[in-house]
Structure formats: C-alpha cells, structure tokens
Amino acid sequence: MIFMLVLTSLIFALIGLFLGGGGIWLITLGGSWFYLIAGAAFLATAFFVLVRSALAYWVYAATILVTLVWALLEVGFDWWQLGARGGLVVLLGLWLLLPWVRRPILRDDYGFPEKDKPARAGPWPLVAAVLVSIVVAVISLFTDPHAIKGSLPGARSASAETANAVPDGEWHGYGRTERGQRWSPLDQITPDNVGSLELAWQIQTGDMMGPNDVVETTYENTPLMVDDTLYVCTPHSWAMAFDARTGEEKWKFDPKVPVDGNRQHQTCRGVTYYDDPDMAEGERCKIRVYLPTSDARLIALNAEDGTICADFADNGTLQLQKNMPYKTQGYYYSTSPPLAINGKIVVGGSVNDNYSTDSPSGVIRAYDIDTGELIWNFDTGNPEQTEPLGPDETYTKNSPNSWSVMSGDSDLGLIYAPIGNRTPDQIGLDRSPAVEKYSSSVVALDTETGQPVWNFQGVHHDLWDMDVPAQPALLDLTIDGETVPALVQATKQGEVFVLNRETGEPILPVKEVPAPQDGGLEGENLSLTQPVSALSFNPPKLEGKDMWGASLLDQLVCRIKLKQYNYEGRYTPPSVDGTIVYPGNFGTLNWGSVAVDPERQVMFAMPVYMAYTSTLVPKSTPGVATQGINSNNGADYAVSFSTLLGPLGVPCQAPPWGYVAGADLTTGEIVWKHKNGTIQDMTPLPLKIKMGVPGIGGPIMTKGGVAFLGATMDNYIRGYDVTTGEQLWEARLPAGGQATPMTYETLDGAQYVLIVAGGHGSVGTETGDYILAYKLPEG
C-alpha cells in the first residue's frame, strides 16, 4: 500500500511539473494562467498524498471544481471540450478514492506510531466534486452547442430545363446536367421511406491501388446513367459500362496509362457523355463518352461498345501536352470530365502543386466535339489571345489552371470555369497582372470565342492554395418577386458566392473586410482586404479555448503551439516562422461542391474545418531538397505543409470537424447545421461515436426531399431530410466513399441511389474498387 502512495504522489507531481512548467511558458506567450494554477494544485496534492494527509482530498476536490468552472466558462456544455479539460482530472480523482490509495491516507493500518497518525477525515469533498463533474458530463452528452436547428422552405418555383434537357430518370453529367446542380427530379424515395433502402447490387471494377502508385490514388468518380447504362471511370483511367439494373459489365476500355511517380493525383472524377444530333440513330459513335486520362490524353469512345471513335482528333485521341511550354512527364493531366456544350468539348487540366516554377500552362481549350479541331484557348496568363496557337507557339508557363469541373449555360452561351492558383501557391512575388486577376476565381467564357465575359475573384493575391475547387451550380432564384439567373460558387475558404451568372455581380451581398498584414515575405503585395459573402461557412478565428487533445496535458501543448505560430486569423500570410492556415486548403468546401434545389431554391453542403500549418523553408536550409512535392523547384523557398496536430497525433483543433448544412439561397441564411460522421474508422477501436468528422466528396438532393452523401472518413453513405438535416438512413460501405453519389430511375420504374466506394489515399480511408446501388424493396 505504501508503494501505491508513493506511485500516486509521483504521478501527481509529474503532472504538476508538466502543467506548471507549460503554464509558465504559455503565460509568457500571452495565454491562460489556468495551467500554472492547476500545476500548483497537482503538486500540493502530491505532497499531501505522500505525507498521508486528508488535505489531499480537499485540495484535489477544489482542483476538480475550479477546473470544471473554468472549462464551463470557456466552452460551455461541449462534451468533447469538457472531456479534454476534465477527463484526466476526474479519473485521477477516482484513483484517489480507490481503497489501496484511500485507506493508507485516512487510517493507520500499516504500523505507523499513534503520534504520527494523520488527521482523520473522510474523502467526501472529493466524492462530491467527482459527482458534480459526472452530472455536468451527463448534461453535456445531451447538449450540442454547435447545432443550428431549423426548417428549409418547400418548393417556390418549377424547375427550369436547359437547352439540352435530361430525362428525369437519367444522370448525364458530373452534376447531372451542364448546370451542375446535383439535383434530381425523382421523388420515389422520400423521408418517409428512405429508411427502407436496401442494397440492390454490388460490383468491383478490378482497378485497385498498386504498390507503385502515388499516395493520392483515389476513387472520386460519379458515374453517368443514360438509357439504363452506367458509364464509369476508375483511378487508372479505365472507362467502363454497366447495366444500371444489375451491375453487369457491358464493356471496359483500358488506355494503358503508365505508372508515374511525378503525378500528384491518380484519379478520374468522371467521363463526358455526348449524343451527336447530326448523326442518324444507330450510327456508330453517335453516342460517345469522352475519357480524360492521367497521362494528359482525351479519348473519344463509342458508348455502345467502348471502342475508339477514330474520326475524333488523331485516331480518337487528343494529346493535351500540345503547345505546352514544359512537357515534364506527370506534371500535367486531367482529373475532371470536360464539358460538352454547343458542339464543343471544353477541357481544363491539373498542374502539380508546388513542384516547380517551370510547370505546364493552366490553359482551358475548346475543341470541335466531332473532329477534335482546336477552336479556342483561354490561358489565364495571356487571357486576351484566345485564337488557337500555331504549332511552334506555347502557352504561358505555370498559369492558374482549371482542374475541377466546369458548368455551362447553353442558352446564354457561357461556360463557367473554376480557376486555381499558380505554383508556388504560398509565394506571390512575381505574379503578372493577368495571373493576379484570374487566380482563385470563377470566370465566365464565351462558348464561341473563349473570351472572358466576366470574372469574380474569391481570394485576392492567394497565398494559401485556396483554388476555386468546385463546379459552379446554376439555377434561377426568385429575388423580390423577380427571376434572377444565379450561379452558386462554393470555395475552400468557406465563402459561398451567389452571383448573377449573366453579369458576375453578387446577388447576395459581398463585402470586403480587412485582411492580416503582418508576416509574409518581404515584397509580397498583400491584399488589404478579402471578400466575404452573406452566405458564409467561415469559422471564427481560433483561440486558446478552441485547442483540444486527449487530455489537459496535450491540450496545453496545443495552446502553446497556437501561440508559437504566426496567426491573426484567416489569410495570415505564410512565413518562415510558420503560419496557421484555417480553414486549411483541404477546404471548408472542395471538389465535391454543394447540391442546389432549383424548386426550393436551397442548398445542401458539407462544410469541413481542419487547421493546417504552412512554413516557408529557405532553400539554404539543409535537407530541403528531400521535401518532395513541396520543393518548389525554381523558387527561393520550399514549403512544409501539415495538419495542426498535438503530440499524440490528435488534432489540436477541437471537434466537430465536419457538418452537414442547409441554406436558403434567396437570403443567405444557414437554416440548419449538424455535426456529421463518426470516428468508427479513424481509431483502432470500432467506436461509432458521432463526433463530426472531416470528409471529401459531395452531396446530391432529390425532389423527394432526401439528400445523399458519403464523403466522411467513416465508411458510410447516408440519407438526410432536406428540410431539417435529420439523418434518416445509412449503409455501411466496404471502402471509403470519397465520391459524390448519384441517383437514377431504370426503365422498369425503380429509383436507385449509387455510390462508388474505393477510398482516398490522401485521407487514408479503406481502399477498394466497389460500386454499390441501393433501392426500395419491391412490393
């Protein structure tokens, strides 16, 4: 028993020294005094335990109660935040109440002389403090301070069709139509019956991540469905067709893309479907799918059998490296489906981030959809010259690219392209006026000429890799009784800009707010302001109280970290001392975009909040050449970029990290917001605890009033009530579901919900090669 006293005293003393020493450090950085006080209390408790004084119980009871009051003042009834502050403290209180610790403190049963007996007293102060803490913990378990509860409105207009109407039961593009709404007019599945959805069929494509593939080998595909046939592409750029009712394979085309370690991404988000109106029914290649590949090709395939349409381009293949200033293998490729609009196939491309200043161009090109002849090119580094280049000319090197999915309005004759940043993302010392204008923007291009009609920039002088990542969603809104053509643009930084798609002017107000100016490299032309939309998921600035951990100990370390990094809020400039980037470039919203309902005029989103650190590393620093994709060859600085983590690998930033949210697009109000996803697949233990986890992927909505979403870091697809955001259904996936689902109706009248589940290398979810389809039970 004496051994247990010594051990207990030692544990309390070590914790006290850690809290006290760390607390002094935090105070010198301008942080909270609590940890120093807690450290002193732990040391006092250690002393009284060692001398077998019942004062240990009074001191530690006071420690628990002071910790509880401090925690409630900082974070309220937030269970996860209270647990980080008080969990270890209460557990140690329970330890002091165990018989082999309590008895030698309170009684002389072990041979001590009478005169040396400690004061007789009970442990009741500590018992009371522990009970109060337990009551508070129970209350907090049933309290969600992060939730917004409300109800979205019902239908306010009829859905308007585009010039290229899509049958109600089909899904012809990445976002279903050229408008990118991710909304289906199907209504067979409703909030009342969605809980009955069951697996209709499950297949495997056979395309798996190989041992020599890059880390970011991902299944991000959203299949198309036309006339009971599904069209799919896989990470290694296979195109495949399946029967929509049974999943039976119809054909497969393998373009034989070589493995390339230079390639940053190994993914295919989708193929492009086209039905040529000038060709007779049944004629070969009347219906086609266009396949983008990760070795910079665009291949036209006959949708009937998967064979090449040789009349397109050079024997069916466009070589997208043509006219590029640098043709380094693996630096340029396509990850997203091109846009078919008004007789053209419009292609963007992905340029590796932070590899080299001598990188390929981010040019957007429009080709004749039948012949593959280049019609125009829009290069953000040389935006006025849209006429096709000559054979010996080259596009601007390293100009901002459009790697995500474009939308179009055939009636207006406009293409809407989301534009990224240029390499190096964190260094903007030598950017041209054109690059400064078009970086991190959405631009409207004339379909006939490629000339820019308008441009809206989401981040000025972007130093944070805040590419505009998402396909713009187009719909008509009723504002003050008038119909307004709208564009909804989701962004990584959390702003959702609602613009007039004819003019680019904001429909919902956008204001310029002051931006941080301290830090950054000498000579950076930092923007004095940054735009903020009336519809915004931008989180509040991180404070010490937002830091988290598994215990009070690593929570203290994270508070020290927060003070050590350069951080004045969003858009704090990157620096050699290290900067916190929050929201990080993983995105509040990313390529999964948002879903919009053109009848309700509402939006369903999956905002994600993860803090990152960004550190500029001078090239003179030893070992910088080993920093891989962040090497920034040709620049004076490399960049080190990572998640803000505590010493145990737990995020420093408190959960929730992921939500689902519903917003009214006519007012900008976020009507409901709920944490989303569990930690079941994020920890060694299968704990299905709804914490609100990160994810990457996108949602869809249906006229039936149900939204569907995979994306989270636990392997589930879920169904939600669009009106309230309540989760109504979920199904376990055999791998990560980091893709946007889709829905369709087969010729026999059954509505299916389909998702690709193959995992995502960047977020570490379970890999696979699955496609799963769900429907309601028959009868």
Side-chain angles (χ1 to χ4, degrees), residues 23-36:
I24 293 172
W25 190 0
L26 183 60
I27 290 169
T28 64
L29 296 171
S32 171
W33 281 68
F34 169 80
Y35 300 90
L36 176 59

PDB file of all heavy atoms in Angstrom, residues 23-36:
ATOM      1  N   GLY A  23       2.550  25.862 -18.138  1.00  0.00           N
ATOM      2  CA  GLY A  23       1.726  27.028 -17.846  1.00  0.00           C
ATOM      3  C   GLY A  23       2.532  28.311 -17.834  1.00  0.00           C
ATOM      4  O   GLY A  23       2.079  29.354 -18.330  1.00  0.00           O
ATOM      5  N   ILE A  24       3.751  28.243 -17.274  1.00  0.00           N
ATOM      6  CA  ILE A  24       4.625  29.426 -17.292  1.00  0.00           C
ATOM      7  C   ILE A  24       4.971  29.807 -18.726  1.00  0.00           C
ATOM      8  O   ILE A  24       4.946  30.987 -19.105  1.00  0.00           O
ATOM      9  CB  ILE A  24       5.896  29.146 -16.467  1.00  0.00           C
ATOM     10  CG1 ILE A  24       5.540  29.000 -14.987  1.00  0.00           C
ATOM     11  CG2 ILE A  24       6.935  30.241 -16.684  1.00  0.00           C
ATOM     12  CD1 ILE A  24       6.703  28.536 -14.125  1.00  0.00           C
ATOM     13  N   TRP A  25       5.283  28.798 -19.546  1.00  0.00           N
ATOM     14  CA  TRP A  25       5.598  29.051 -20.955  1.00  0.00           C
ATOM     15  C   TRP A  25       4.414  29.715 -21.658  1.00  0.00           C
ATOM     16  O   TRP A  25       4.565  30.698 -22.387  1.00  0.00           O
ATOM     17  CB  TRP A  25       5.963  27.721 -21.612  1.00  0.00           C
ATOM     18  CG  TRP A  25       6.533  27.837 -22.995  1.00  0.00           C
ATOM     19  CD1 TRP A  25       6.754  28.970 -23.719  1.00  0.00           C
ATOM     20  CD2 TRP A  25       6.952  26.758 -23.822  1.00  0.00           C
ATOM     21  NE1 TRP A  25       7.279  28.671 -24.947  1.00  0.00           N
ATOM     22  CE2 TRP A  25       7.423  27.306 -25.030  1.00  0.00           C
ATOM     23  CE3 TRP A  25       6.978  25.371 -23.645  1.00  0.00           C
ATOM     24  CZ2 TRP A  25       7.896  26.519 -26.071  1.00  0.00           C
ATOM     25  CZ3 TRP A  25       7.461  24.590 -24.687  1.00  0.00           C
ATOM     26  CH2 TRP A  25       7.912  25.155 -25.880  1.00  0.00           C
ATOM     27  N   LEU A  26       3.212  29.184 -21.412  1.00  0.00           N
ATOM     28  CA  LEU A  26       2.022  29.731 -22.059  1.00  0.00           C
ATOM     29  C   LEU A  26       1.771  31.174 -21.610  1.00  0.00           C
ATOM     30  O   LEU A  26       1.397  32.023 -22.432  1.00  0.00           O
ATOM     31  CB  LEU A  26       0.814  28.853 -21.733  1.00  0.00           C
ATOM     32  CG  LEU A  26      -0.515  29.248 -22.386  1.00  0.00           C
ATOM     33  CD1 LEU A  26      -0.413  29.220 -23.910  1.00  0.00           C
ATOM     34  CD2 LEU A  26      -1.646  28.324 -21.921  1.00  0.00           C
ATOM     35  N   ILE A  27       1.996  31.455 -20.344  1.00  0.00           N
ATOM     36  CA  ILE A  27       1.804  32.826 -19.849  1.00  0.00           C
ATOM     37  C   ILE A  27       2.755  33.784 -20.549  1.00  0.00           C
ATOM     38  O   ILE A  27       2.376  34.901 -20.926  1.00  0.00           O
ATOM     39  CB  ILE A  27       1.998  32.863 -18.318  1.00  0.00           C
ATOM     40  CG1 ILE A  27       0.838  32.138 -17.625  1.00  0.00           C
ATOM     41  CG2 ILE A  27       2.099  34.308 -17.827  1.00  0.00           C
ATOM     42  CD1 ILE A  27       1.074  31.894 -16.142  1.00  0.00           C
ATOM     43  N   THR A  28       4.007  33.367 -20.762  1.00  0.00           N
ATOM     44  CA  THR A  28       4.968  34.239 -21.448  1.00  0.00           C
ATOM     45  C   THR A  28       4.549  34.515 -22.890  1.00  0.00           C
ATOM     46  O   THR A  28       4.956  35.517 -23.473  1.00  0.00           O
ATOM     47  CB  THR A  28       6.382  33.622 -21.445  1.00  0.00           C
ATOM     48  OG1 THR A  28       6.372  32.392 -22.197  1.00  0.00           O
ATOM     49  CG2 THR A  28       6.846  33.345 -20.027  1.00  0.00           C
ATOM     50  N   LEU A  29       3.727  33.606 -23.456  1.00  0.00           N
ATOM     51  CA  LEU A  29       3.226  33.798 -24.820  1.00  0.00           C
ATOM     52  C   LEU A  29       1.904  34.558 -24.856  1.00  0.00           C
ATOM     53  O   LEU A  29       1.336  34.779 -25.917  1.00  0.00           O
ATOM     54  CB  LEU A  29       3.050  32.433 -25.501  1.00  0.00           C
ATOM     55  CG  LEU A  29       4.323  31.616 -25.725  1.00  0.00           C
ATOM     56  CD1 LEU A  29       3.981  30.202 -26.206  1.00  0.00           C
ATOM     57  CD2 LEU A  29       5.244  32.315 -26.734  1.00  0.00           C
ATOM     58  N   GLY A  30       1.413  34.922 -23.667  1.00  0.00           N
ATOM     59  CA  GLY A  30       0.174  35.683 -23.595  1.00  0.00           C
ATOM     60  C   GLY A  30      -1.063  34.826 -23.417  1.00  0.00           C
ATOM     61  O   GLY A  30      -2.179  35.293 -23.673  1.00  0.00           O
ATOM     62  N   GLY A  31      -0.896  33.574 -22.972  1.00  0.00           N
ATOM     63  CA  GLY A  31      -2.016  32.659 -22.844  1.00  0.00           C
ATOM     64  C   GLY A  31      -2.570  32.571 -21.435  1.00  0.00           C
ATOM     65  O   GLY A  31      -2.211  33.343 -20.540  1.00  0.00           O
ATOM     66  N   SER A  32      -3.439  31.596 -21.218  1.00  0.00           N
ATOM     67  CA  SER A  32      -4.182  31.416 -19.976  1.00  0.00           C
ATOM     68  C   SER A  32      -3.266  31.104 -18.786  1.00  0.00           C
ATOM     69  O   SER A  32      -2.266  30.400 -18.911  1.00  0.00           O
ATOM     70  CB  SER A  32      -5.190  30.271 -20.143  1.00  0.00           C
ATOM     71  OG  SER A  32      -5.783  29.932 -18.914  1.00  0.00           O
ATOM     72  N   TRP A  33      -3.682  31.614 -17.588  1.00  0.00           N
ATOM     73  CA  TRP A  33      -2.977  31.344 -16.342  1.00  0.00           C
ATOM     74  C   TRP A  33      -3.450  30.039 -15.690  1.00  0.00           C
ATOM     75  O   TRP A  33      -2.870  29.600 -14.705  1.00  0.00           O
ATOM     76  CB  TRP A  33      -3.205  32.495 -15.347  1.00  0.00           C
ATOM     77  CG  TRP A  33      -2.355  33.696 -15.632  1.00  0.00           C
ATOM     78  CD1 TRP A  33      -2.439  34.543 -16.686  1.00  0.00           C
ATOM     79  CD2 TRP A  33      -1.294  34.187 -14.814  1.00  0.00           C
ATOM     80  NE1 TRP A  33      -1.497  35.526 -16.615  1.00  0.00           N
ATOM     81  CE2 TRP A  33      -0.771  35.343 -15.452  1.00  0.00           C
ATOM     82  CE3 TRP A  33      -0.725  33.782 -13.615  1.00  0.00           C
ATOM     83  CZ2 TRP A  33       0.274  36.083 -14.933  1.00  0.00           C
ATOM     84  CZ3 TRP A  33       0.316  34.516 -13.079  1.00  0.00           C
ATOM     85  CH2 TRP A  33       0.818  35.648 -13.726  1.00  0.00           C
ATOM     86  N   PHE A  34      -4.493  29.440 -16.209  1.00  0.00           N
ATOM     87  CA  PHE A  34      -5.087  28.288 -15.518  1.00  0.00           C
ATOM     88  C   PHE A  34      -4.095  27.155 -15.323  1.00  0.00           C
ATOM     89  O   PHE A  34      -4.072  26.510 -14.266  1.00  0.00           O
ATOM     90  CB  PHE A  34      -6.303  27.777 -16.297  1.00  0.00           C
ATOM     91  CG  PHE A  34      -6.792  26.452 -15.781  1.00  0.00           C
ATOM     92  CD1 PHE A  34      -7.577  26.377 -14.647  1.00  0.00           C
ATOM     93  CD2 PHE A  34      -6.426  25.259 -16.403  1.00  0.00           C
ATOM     94  CE1 PHE A  34      -7.995  25.159 -14.138  1.00  0.00           C
ATOM     95  CE2 PHE A  34      -6.842  24.033 -15.911  1.00  0.00           C
ATOM     96  CZ  PHE A  34      -7.629  23.984 -14.769  1.00  0.00           C
ATOM     97  N   TYR A  35      -3.272  26.879 -16.310  1.00  0.00           N
ATOM     98  CA  TYR A  35      -2.412  25.698 -16.249  1.00  0.00           C
ATOM     99  C   TYR A  35      -1.354  25.821 -15.162  1.00  0.00           C
ATOM    100  O   TYR A  35      -0.987  24.826 -14.530  1.00  0.00           O
ATOM    101  CB  TYR A  35      -1.780  25.438 -17.620  1.00  0.00           C
ATOM    102  CG  TYR A  35      -2.834  25.199 -18.670  1.00  0.00           C
ATOM    103  CD1 TYR A  35      -3.364  26.267 -19.393  1.00  0.00           C
ATOM    104  CD2 TYR A  35      -3.312  23.922 -18.906  1.00  0.00           C
ATOM    105  CE1 TYR A  35      -4.356  26.064 -20.330  1.00  0.00           C
ATOM    106  CE2 TYR A  35      -4.304  23.707 -19.847  1.00  0.00           C
ATOM    107  CZ  TYR A  35      -4.825  24.782 -20.547  1.00  0.00           C
ATOM    108  OH  TYR A  35      -5.821  24.568 -21.459  1.00  0.00           O
ATOM    109  N   LEU A  36      -0.856  27.022 -14.934  1.00  0.00           N
ATOM    110  CA  LEU A  36       0.081  27.228 -13.831  1.00  0.00           C
ATOM    111  C   LEU A  36      -0.612  26.962 -12.490  1.00  0.00           C
ATOM    112  O   LEU A  36      -0.061  26.297 -11.607  1.00  0.00           O
ATOM    113  CB  LEU A  36       0.638  28.652 -13.871  1.00  0.00           C
ATOM    114  CG  LEU A  36       1.563  29.044 -12.716  1.00  0.00           C
ATOM    115  CD1 LEU A  36       2.780  28.122 -12.650  1.00  0.00           C
ATOM    116  CD2 LEU A  36       1.990  30.504 -12.848  1.00  0.00           C
TER     117      LEU A  36
END
